[in-house]
Amino acid sequence: MKATQVQTAQQTPKHYGITSPISLAQPKEADLVLTQKLIETLRPFGVFEEELELQRRILVLGKLNTLVQVWIREVSEAKNIPSSVIDNVGGKIFTFGSYRLGVHTKGADIDALCVAPRHVERSDFFSSFYEKLKEQEEVKDLRAVEEAFVPVIKLSFDGIEIDILFARLALQTIPENLDLRDDGLLKNLDIRCIRSLNGCRVTDEILHLVPNIENFRLTLRAIKLWAKRHNIYSNILGFLGGVSWAMLVARTCQLYPNAVASTLVHKFFLVFSKWEWPNPVLLKQPEDCNLNLPVWDPRVTPSDRYHLMPIITPAYPQQNSTYNVSASTRAIMVEEFKRGLAITDEILLNKAEWSKLFEAPNFFQKYKHYIVLLASAQTEKQHLEWVGLVESKIRILVGNLEKNEFITLAHVNPQSFPGPKEEIDNTIWVIGVVFKKMEGPENLNVDLTFDIQSFTDTVYRQAITSKMFEADMKITAMHVKRKQLQQLLPKVAIQRSKRKASVHLKKVRIVRYKLAIASYKFAILSFLAIASLNLAILTFFLRIACSEGRIAKFKLAIARKKSQNCKFITRNSDFETCNCEFISCNSDFHFFSQLRVLKSKLRVIKSELKVIKSELRDMNLQLLEKKNLNCKMKKSQLPCFIFYLLVEMGFPIFDSNCPTQYLKPPLRVCYIDISSSVL
């Protein structure tokens, strides 16, 4: 009986998440091939770190951990802690964020937490430990931010950027095997220590709540890269941050526990393009530890009911990691989810490559109207502080714009740019704006003065309250149209869009060459049909040639349309986008090699045409008239007959937009006598 129970328990798969999985299907061979292609596509983007760099990070963290333990011993001795306790006092550096999840990229920083016993104060961390760090030769750019919401020390240790938080536990010593997921550790802690511990606790919970960590990591690398390339990766600006993307991927892994990364990426877009927000995303059922800490609960807290895209952290106290999301940013992300689903559908059907998913859209061609924010300060240090404050408040401006009755959407680009070169340092942010379509021909004047002024007043007020404001710190906002952006943005951003446009024009050239080839094929088929001495075969061949010509001309029209910055209305969307899809410079298309191949094909076809025409000159046209045509047609009239058939079948004889040198040979066949000049 016991043996049967053990066997049943072994056969029952572990359950992940708050619901049962959608599918338990095992991966197929095609899924494994697509996953390998995904890895190869991700490598050029630098999402995988070299082994030597990883070992260097481990070495740096080891040095920092030793430094923490030495510092805690010194503090303990200064506070007359018994020697028996000092020998085992411990102290440890924990990591969290992307490094702890195992998805950090080349050159990424490390989020760390210094855990100390109860007799070590926070003031010790920002005084004696700060001084100890200053004495280390490897430490550069050391700065303390003690008054932040989560106090932190920032530094560069041997070239690696590290942010160190501090938490004091209610323990006499810190054991080496301490598990921070234990809710009992939160007892008798102040709120700042709880906030500091939250990062590690959430990260560890995520790793314990996914069925396959390696599949989770690879999928998260792909999704984070996609989000950054599509300008929707920024918690502070109202999009999603790293931990939020990790929780969405973790939920996908729970719903498809046996799937590999290629399938999980597709299912990610499938699940969250159809998710009914504001229903929350939960990795586990919330637990109440009776510690009277505030948790996310819309039944108890009225403000939680207004969160638009709640993604709830799995560790106690549960919080919404996306409280900054606004109506505009949610609409933008949902639309990107739908586009991602369409692209991954094509990839699974082998109609597209993974590189298409990571093509970056041109934000500066997407909208007609933009608001440009310019933050400036006199010195580099003032500028760094000022830019940080302004960036943290931009979401207030987005909220003000959303409340305007004439504005449908406000999309802030997470990437900032250096402003025009002047005597002072300045930084630019760009916000794309979509105005409502008004009925009637009259122009609409929208006054944004109040929206912008209330935002700037909030920023100045915050700067004065935090005692960081200086007279030279300024922030200005202006409305510009798309064409005016080149006067404000650096040349790098503008050149990027021009380069993409030029690449797309090369594709138009390729399609034009293909149209020319189709025209030459028509000429060859025409002469072959004449040589066959059969009018029915002639008509059949001409229909084939005309079909090829129509297809080539249709492709050319599509290519021309895509090469212009025209408007497209996105399907299943309630707002307009001016999104011109350009071919990415990182794509697999080799334009010049394609052009060389097409030119060589043209030369071969020209030579074939000459050979066929010379053979036709020697043919006896009287035999042609007697056998099949059943009509008396002079040889000078035969080309006119071909031309008549072409016009009747709708073949594109005349194309003013196509270069004349491409279409001359086929056109000349229609007008000259067969016995006359050579092509």
Side-chain angles (χ1 to χ4, degrees):
M1 183 67 177
K2 290 183 178 179
T4 306
Q5 290 177 349
V6 171
Q7 186 177 2
T8 305
Q10 290 176 348
Q11 292 176 352
T12 303
K14 184 179 178 181
H15 181 68
Y16 294 91
I18 62 173
T19 62
S20 58
I22 295 176
S23 172
L24 294 173
Q26 296 292 332
K28 299 178 182 178
E29 185 64 29
D31 301 328
L32 300 176
V33 172
L34 281 173
T35 299
Q36 188 59 39
K37 289 182 178 180
L38 175 61
I39 295 173
E40 294 170 0
T41 305
L42 291 175
R43 288 193 187 281
F45 292 99
V47 299
F48 299 105
E49 192 173 46
E50 301 292 337
E51 186 63 29
L52 288 176
E53 184 66 20
L54 181 59
Q55 293 299 326
R56 191 163 77 94
R57 287 178 182 270
I58 295 173
L59 182 62
V60 166
L61 287 172
K63 290 181 180 179
L64 191 60
N65 192 66
T66 302
L67 195 66
V68 165
Q69 292 177 347
V70 171
W71 165 68
I72 290 177
R73 287 180 63 90
E74 292 174 354
V75 173
S76 301
E77 291 172 355
K79 295 188 176 183
N80 298 320
I81 301 297
S83 58
S84 59
V85 177
I86 293 176
D87 293 338
N88 301 307
V89 71
K92 193 174 180 181
I93 286 287
F94 292 86
T95 59
F96 62 98
S98 61
Y99 180 80
R100 176 70 181 92
L101 289 172
V103 295
H104 60 285
T105 58
K106 293 179 181 178
D109 62 352
I110 297 177
D111 297 313
L113 171 68
C114 173
V115 176
R118 62 193 178 196
H119 59 269
V120 179
E121 304 283 344
R122 184 175 295 274
S123 57
D124 297 325
F125 178 74
F126 283 99
S127 57
S128 58
F129 185 65
Y130 181 86
E131 293 299 324
K132 197 168 191 65
L133 288 171
K134 193 182 289 187
E135 295 171 1
Q136 309 303 310
E137 293 182 359
E138 302 97 331
V139 174
K140 307 290 182 186
D141 302 328
L142 182 64
R143 55 199 183 278
V145 190
E146 192 171 357
E147 302 301 324
F149 183 73
V150 181
V152 61
I153 289 179
K154 296 176 176 285
L155 68 145
S156 174
F157 199 111
D158 196 18
I160 298 176
E161 296 289 332
I162 304 177
D163 295 346
I164 309 177
L165 309 182
F166 176 81
R168 180 185 67 159
L169 301 183
L171 301 175
Q172 191 175 26
T173 61
I174 304 299
E176 189 65 27
N177 60 348
L178 179 67
D179 185 1
L180 295 180
R181 292 192 302 143
D182 183 5
D183 294 331
L185 296 175
L186 302 180
K187 292 180 179 179
N188 303 318
L189 296 188
D190 64 56
I191 189 63
R192 289 179 296 180
C193 287
I194 293 175
R195 289 172 188 157
S196 299
L197 286 167
N198 193 50
C200 288
R201 287 168 53 81
V202 169
T203 304
D204 289 349
E205 282 287 355
I206 291 173
L207 291 175
H208 280 82
L209 290 170
V210 293
N212 186 305
I213 292 179
E214 291 305 316
N215 288 340
F216 163 75
R217 285 173 173 167
L218 182 55
T219 306
L220 182 54
R221 288 182 190 275
I223 294 301
K224 287 180 68 174
L225 176 62
W226 167 81
K228 290 175 181 178
R229 298 281 291 173
H230 286 76
N231 297 317
I232 54 174
Y233 189 100
S234 176
N235 178 56
I236 199 171
L237 293 176
F239 296 103
L240 303 190
V243 68
S244 300
W245 290 115
M247 286 189 285
L248 292 186
V249 172
R251 185 66 185 124
T252 308
C253 293
Q254 291 178 342
L255 295 172
Y256 301 89
N258 297 324
V260 292
S262 59
T263 305
L264 288 171
V265 171
H266 174 254
K267 298 301 183 183
F268 172 89
F269 293 116
L270 176 64
V271 170
F272 295 109
S273 63
K274 301 179 183 301
W275 194 273
E276 295 181 358
W277 306 104
N279 288 330
V281 176
L282 296 165
L283 297 183
K284 59 183 283 191
Q285 286 292 352
E287 299 174 355
D288 188 4
C289 298
N290 296 320
L291 297 178
N292 294 322
L293 295 175
V295 297
W296 185 86
D297 190 346
R299 297 170 301 177
V300 177
T301 309
S303 60
D304 292 345
R305 301 169 192 168
Y306 298 98
H307 292 175
L308 300 177
M309 201 174 183
I311 302 173
I312 310 306
T313 57
Y316 180 85
Q318 297 84 9
Q319 302 294 325
N320 177 22
S321 65
T322 58
Y323 58 88
N324 286 337
V325 171
S326 66
S328 289
T329 54
R330 186 181 72 173
I332 293 163
M333 286 187 284
V334 170
E335 189 60 33
E336 290 295 343
F337 289 151
K338 292 177 181 178
R339 290 179 186 169
L341 177 61
I343 294 173
T344 50
D345 282 339
E346 293 179 2
I347 293 171
L348 294 185
L349 295 173
N350 292 320
K351 294 182 179 180
E353 299 296 329
W354 283 110
S355 56
K356 184 176 181 180
L357 182 65
F358 305 113
E359 289 177 2
N362 191 340
F363 178 82
F364 305 111
Q365 296 293 335
K366 191 172 184 179
Y367 303 104
K368 278 187 176 181
H369 303 275
Y370 295 87
I371 291 176
V372 176
L373 292 179
L374 178 64
S376 58
Q378 189 66 40
T379 65
E380 185 177 351
K381 182 180 179 181
Q382 292 176 1
H383 179 253
L384 188 63
E385 295 176 346
W386 184 235
V387 165
L389 176 62
V390 172
E391 186 176 37
S392 68
K393 303 298 179 185
I394 289 178
R395 66 178 185 273
I396 296 176
L397 175 58
V398 173
N400 293 342
L401 295 174
E402 288 176 348
K403 294 174 185 176
N404 192 301
E405 60 177 329
F406 300 109
I407 293 179
T408 303
L409 185 81
H411 182 183
V412 56
N413 189 339
Q415 184 180 3
S416 60
F417 300 92
K421 292 184 178 180
E422 297 177 357
E423 296 180 357
I424 58 177
D425 296 324
N426 45 46
T427 299
I428 282 179
W429 294 270
V430 183
I431 303 173
V433 179
V434 177
F435 291 99
K436 283 185 179 179
K437 283 189 174 181
M438 304 302 294
E439 297 180 357
E442 67 276 0
N443 293 327
L444 177 67
N445 294 322
V446 180
D447 187 6
L448 301 178
T449 305
F450 176 78
D451 302 328
I452 295 173
Q453 188 65 46
S454 60
F455 158 70
T456 55
D457 290 346
T458 302
V459 175
Y460 284 127
R461 194 182 308 113
Q462 179 66 33
I464 294 171
T465 303
S466 60
K467 298 180 181 179
M468 64 168 286
F469 180 74
E470 299 291 341
D472 296 320
M473 293 179 174
K474 295 180 180 179
I475 178 171
T476 57
M478 64 191 84
H479 165 259
V480 298
K481 291 188 176 181
R482 184 191 304 155
K483 293 181 180 179
Q484 298 170 316
L485 284 175
Q486 59 184 352
Q487 302 172 7
L488 300 170
L489 291 174
K491 293 182 179 179
V492 177
I494 303 299
Q495 287 175 351
R496 191 184 308 153
S497 63
K498 287 183 177 179
R499 185 180 177 186
K500 289 180 181 179
S502 64
V503 169
H504 198 80
L505 289 175
K506 289 169 189 167
K507 188 182 179 185
V508 176
R509 289 181 60 195
I510 289 175
V511 179
R512 284 178 174 172
Y513 271 109
K514 289 181 178 179
L515 179 61
I517 288 175
S519 302
Y520 275 109
K521 284 182 179 179
F522 156 74
I524 291 175
L525 291 172
S526 301
F527 281 123
L528 288 174
I530 295 170
S532 69
L533 310 178
N534 191 311
L535 180 60
I537 296 177
L538 170 63
T539 306
F540 176 72
F541 277 146
L542 286 176
R543 283 176 178 168
I544 294 175
C546 291
S547 298
E548 289 192 7
R550 289 194 190 99
I551 292 171
K553 187 174 182 183
F554 179 68
K555 289 182 178 179
L556 179 62
I558 293 175
R560 285 187 188 134
K561 190 173 184 180
K562 284 187 177 180
S563 66
Q564 302 170 353
N565 295 329
C566 54
K567 271 190 179 180
F568 295 97
I569 298 180
T570 311
R571 290 182 179 179
N572 301 324
S573 172
D574 57 352
F575 60 89
E576 273 195 6
T577 63
C578 303
N579 180 22
C580 182
E581 296 182 359
F582 293 104
I583 292 179
S584 170
C585 297
N586 295 323
S587 64
D588 296 327
F589 293 100
H590 302 287
F591 294 104
F592 293 107
S593 62
Q594 284 196 29
L595 288 175
R596 285 195 295 270
V597 171
L598 291 173
K599 287 181 179 178
S600 65
K601 285 184 178 180
L602 281 175
R603 287 194 294 269
V604 172
I605 291 175
K606 282 183 179 179
S607 62
E608 291 178 357
L609 205 58
K610 289 181 181 178
V611 171
I612 293 172
K613 194 173 180 184
S614 64
E615 291 176 355
L616 284 175
R617 284 197 200 93
D618 301 331
M619 292 182 63
N620 190 348
L621 292 179
Q622 292 180 357
L623 184 62
L624 174 67
E625 293 176 2
K626 290 178 180 179
K627 285 188 175 182
N628 289 310
L629 288 182
N630 296 324
C631 62
K632 294 181 179 180
M633 183 187 305
K634 295 182 180 179
K635 64 180 180 179
S636 60
Q637 295 175 325
L638 188 58
C640 298
F641 170 67
I642 296 173
F643 177 78
Y644 171 77
L645 285 176
L646 289 175
V647 174
E648 286 295 314
M649 295 178 187
F651 187 79
I653 295 294
F654 301 104
D655 189 346
S656 59
N657 294 318
C658 194
T660 55
Q661 66 267 28
Y662 298 160
L663 296 181
K664 270 184 181 178
L667 289 179
R668 288 176 60 191
V669 174
C670 299
Y671 291 108
I672 62 172
D673 291 344
I674 294 179
S675 60
S676 62
S677 63
V678 182
L679 283 175

